[in-house]
Amino acid sequence: MDQENEFIKKGEMPNFAQNPADVDKAELLTSGNTVHILYNSEDEEVSESTWETLHGQIDSLPFLEQQSWQKNDFEFSCMKQSIEQAVSNGFFPVRLPGRSFGSYLVLDEEKNHVGIFKPKDEEEYATRNPSWMGYFQKMFRLRCPRRGCILANQAYLSEVGASIVDEYLDLKIVPKTKVAYLASPTFNYSSAEKRKAEQQRERISGVNLPDKVGSLQCVVEGFQPCTFWLKEFASKKLLDNKLQYELQLLFERVIILDYIIRNTNRTAENLLISYNDTKRGNENYAINMAAVDNRYAFPYRHPRRRRPYTYYWATLPLAKKPFSNETRSFILRKLNDMNYMSSLFLQLKRLFELDENFDKNYFMLQIMLMHGQIFNLKMALENRETPYELVKRRPVYIVPHPDDFTLPAGFLTDKLLQWLKRKYRK
């Protein structure tokens, strides 16, 4: 285990699980005078949700408030217009250093940092990658080994797809992300495109560079990589029982998102935590979590054993705690609604169809994998398993067809994938 997780080996990590038999902890969650404590021996119908029993409500958990980076469509549209106006005024996007692909911090008219734009043609293995890795790829015609289970040059769609799944499941951990078209002199254009723009600029005022398609994500501020705050929580005992339980619930939502979209790139750097240790009146301490950089999700096949792309959070002690009743009740209610989930898959199809290289056969394989992930997740939640036990479940593919059947991943070879593509080609 790496140095970032060294504190885990020493056993310094606090226990972030709620003990339902602990009266003091239950009193922190209840808003009334009567506290009903649930035990594992009670029937599942009775103990469906501790939060519902204590508060008499089944909606989103109260502490998960709407954040500034969780905008609605109208607010996002206004933000994009402000970004375009800022570019016209000369406030150009700035490329973030230290990235192996093109990622730009964009500003609005008031020079505030409002978003991250990632152009499609500047992705890690794209033709206009501005990093040194991309330069050497073009100069020496190198064929770098990319993630074979991920479709090439669709990272921007993966970012937007993760945001759609987050909104449908009401997880509130992914910043609002949508497909956008932007143009700026700071982007990496070809020499021919720059010469053409210079010729046009002599006749017409303004920037005449072609728009680039990519993902535009609202920026998050005040967050640190999760290892920073987890070490602080462990060493300084900053969290009381209530906040420890809230952290567990947020952690479980990240697990649900990553597992459904089969994120192959969840690390300590793109799982962020914010903590505000100042009280305002009667308000409690604020803790929040954000899952950013979801560009390597939605694979069309499960990773092989040689490159498994394991989840970072599976190594944390929080993954050894069973899913809470709140999460089980909240998520199962959505996953069991077939009409609701069908609308989610329809939205994902409309998203992926925006790409000029859209292949309905590969998209069918992506949906088969997602159905299998959802099936495993439902089984784990119903059986009260831990996240660690969830990731140990055998990966499956489920064909969304009237004659449904399940294929174990061990039997799904490349030859069988080709057969499935031919069988369900429309």
Side-chain angles (χ1 to χ4, degrees):
M1 194 172 294
D2 54 18
Q3 292 181 350
E4 292 179 337
N5 297 334
E6 185 178 357
F7 69 97
I8 299 175
K9 296 186 294 184
K10 298 179 181 179
E12 299 176 356
M13 192 70 177
N15 187 347
F16 290 122
Q18 183 200 30
N19 181 3
D22 190 345
V23 178
D24 295 333
K25 189 176 298 184
E27 289 176 347
L28 291 173
L29 293 173
T30 184
S31 57
N33 297 325
T34 303
V35 179
H36 178 70
I37 304 174
L38 302 177
Y39 297 89
N40 294 333
S41 60
E42 296 186 12
D43 294 336
E44 183 167 346
E45 291 77 9
V46 178
S47 60
E48 184 64 27
S49 173
T50 306
W51 195 277
E52 181 181 352
T53 303
L54 296 176
H55 291 265
Q57 59 186 21
I58 58 175
D59 296 326
S60 300
L61 300 182
F63 67 88
L64 289 172
E65 300 176 352
Q66 195 78 8
Q67 304 296 320
S68 60
W69 38 270
Q70 293 165 339
K71 302 180 182 295
N72 56 40
D73 291 339
F74 176 76
E75 293 172 338
F76 193 91
S77 178
C78 293
M79 183 189 75
K80 184 178 180 299
Q81 293 178 3
S82 180
I83 293 172
E84 293 173 344
Q85 186 61 40
V87 173
S88 301
N89 296 338
F91 306 136
F92 301 128
V94 179
R95 181 169 173 255
L96 297 175
R99 303 294 179 92
S100 60
F101 56 95
S103 180
Y104 298 87
L105 183 64
V106 295
L107 295 80
D108 61 4
E109 296 178 88
E110 300 178 356
K111 300 183 182 180
N112 297 320
H113 298 159
V114 294
I116 302 293
F117 182 67
K118 300 176 182 179
K120 173 188 175 181
D121 63 352
E122 297 187 25
E123 292 177 4
E124 197 162 6
Y125 302 101
T127 56
R128 299 296 170 208
N129 186 349
S131 67
W132 280 104
M133 186 189 75
Y135 173 78
F136 283 114
Q137 280 183 256
K138 289 181 288 187
M139 286 295 295
F140 301 102
R141 298 183 180 180
L142 299 177
R143 297 188 64 181
C144 298
R146 62 179 181 85
R147 297 170 192 252
C149 57
I150 301 292
L151 296 178
N153 298 334
Q154 287 197 358
Y156 76 108
L157 295 179
S158 178
E159 294 270 14
V160 182
S163 178
I164 292 176
V165 174
D166 175 87
E167 290 182 10
Y168 262 78
L169 298 182
D170 199 20
L171 300 177
K172 297 183 180 179
I173 55 173
V174 178
K176 180 75 170 183
T177 312
K178 299 190 74 173
V179 175
Y181 294 83
L182 293 176
S184 172
T186 54
F187 294 161
N188 189 27
Y189 289 97
S190 65
S191 300
E193 291 172 328
K194 292 180 180 179
R195 285 195 301 268
K196 184 177 180 180
E198 288 292 337
Q199 294 172 0
Q200 292 178 348
R201 191 176 293 113
E202 295 177 358
R203 302 190 302 269
I204 306 174
S205 61
V207 178
N208 295 280
L209 291 167
D211 287 338
K212 288 197 173 192
V213 61
S215 63
L216 178 60
Q217 184 176 85
C218 295
V219 72
V220 295
E221 296 181 345
F223 284 79
Q224 295 280 355
C226 65
T227 50
F228 171 81
W229 279 117
L230 291 180
K231 290 179 181 179
E232 291 291 310
F233 297 155
S235 60
K236 299 182 180 180
K237 309 294 183 183
L238 298 177
L239 302 183
D240 58 15
N241 292 336
K242 180 181 179 181
L243 287 179
Q244 289 179 11
Y245 191 53
E246 290 181 1
L247 178 62
Q248 179 193 354
L249 296 179
L250 289 168
F251 180 76
E252 291 172 353
R253 294 187 173 219
V254 174
I255 293 172
I256 289 168
L257 172 74
D258 284 346
Y259 193 81
I260 289 179
I261 67 177
R262 189 47 183 103
N263 196 336
T264 64
N265 190 41
R266 178 61 66 215
T267 66
E269 298 300 322
N270 54 34
L271 180 57
L272 310 179
I273 294 178
S274 70
Y275 175 70
N276 183 8
D277 58 354
T278 59
K279 279 191 175 181
R280 298 177 181 177
N282 296 326
E283 294 182 4
N284 293 325
Y285 302 125
I287 188 170
N288 209 333
M289 190 173 290
V292 299
D293 193 7
N294 303 292
R295 55 198 170 97
Y296 289 133
F298 300 97
Y300 68 92
R301 64 169 174 81
H302 285 285
R304 305 264 168 79
R305 288 185 178 181
R306 185 176 59 181
R307 302 179 72 183
Y309 302 117
T310 56
Y311 306 98
Y312 163 77
W313 42 258
T315 64
L316 299 177
L318 285 168
K320 302 295 180 67
K321 306 299 179 183
F323 282 101
S324 63
N325 287 333
E326 287 74 26
T327 298
R328 293 176 57 253
S329 174
F330 182 76
I331 298 301
L332 283 175
R333 189 167 58 251
K334 295 180 180 295
L335 297 184
N336 289 327
D337 189 341
M338 299 307 298
N339 293 330
Y340 189 75
M341 297 305 296
S342 296
S343 64
L344 168 60
F345 293 128
L346 180 60
Q347 287 295 325
L348 291 176
K349 182 179 181 181
R350 291 174 179 172
L351 167 67
F352 282 88
E353 284 178 340
L354 297 176
D355 191 79
E356 58 184 3
N357 299 319
F358 173 75
D359 188 324
K360 63 180 181 181
N361 299 313
Y362 275 107
F363 179 75
M364 183 200 68
L365 297 176
Q366 291 173 303
I367 295 301
M368 286 169 51
L369 189 147
M370 281 191 65
H371 274 283
Q373 295 292 95
I374 292 174
F375 173 80
N376 276 343
L377 178 61
K378 289 169 63 175
M379 293 297 101
L381 293 175
E382 291 173 357
N383 296 332
R384 301 176 181 271
E385 295 180 1
T386 65
Y388 183 75
E389 293 172 329
L390 170 64
V391 298
K392 292 178 67 175
R393 279 183 166 268
R394 192 174 190 182
V396 295
Y397 299 81
I398 295 182
V399 179
H401 190 270
D403 300 325
D404 285 346
F405 62 93
T406 302
L407 294 173
F411 301 155
L412 193 59
T413 62
D414 291 335
K415 184 176 181 180
L416 186 54
L417 281 174
Q418 296 296 328
W419 176 81
L420 286 172
K421 288 170 61 177
R422 292 194 301 270
K423 180 177 176 61
Y424 293 100
R425 182 178 289 116
K426 295 182 180 180

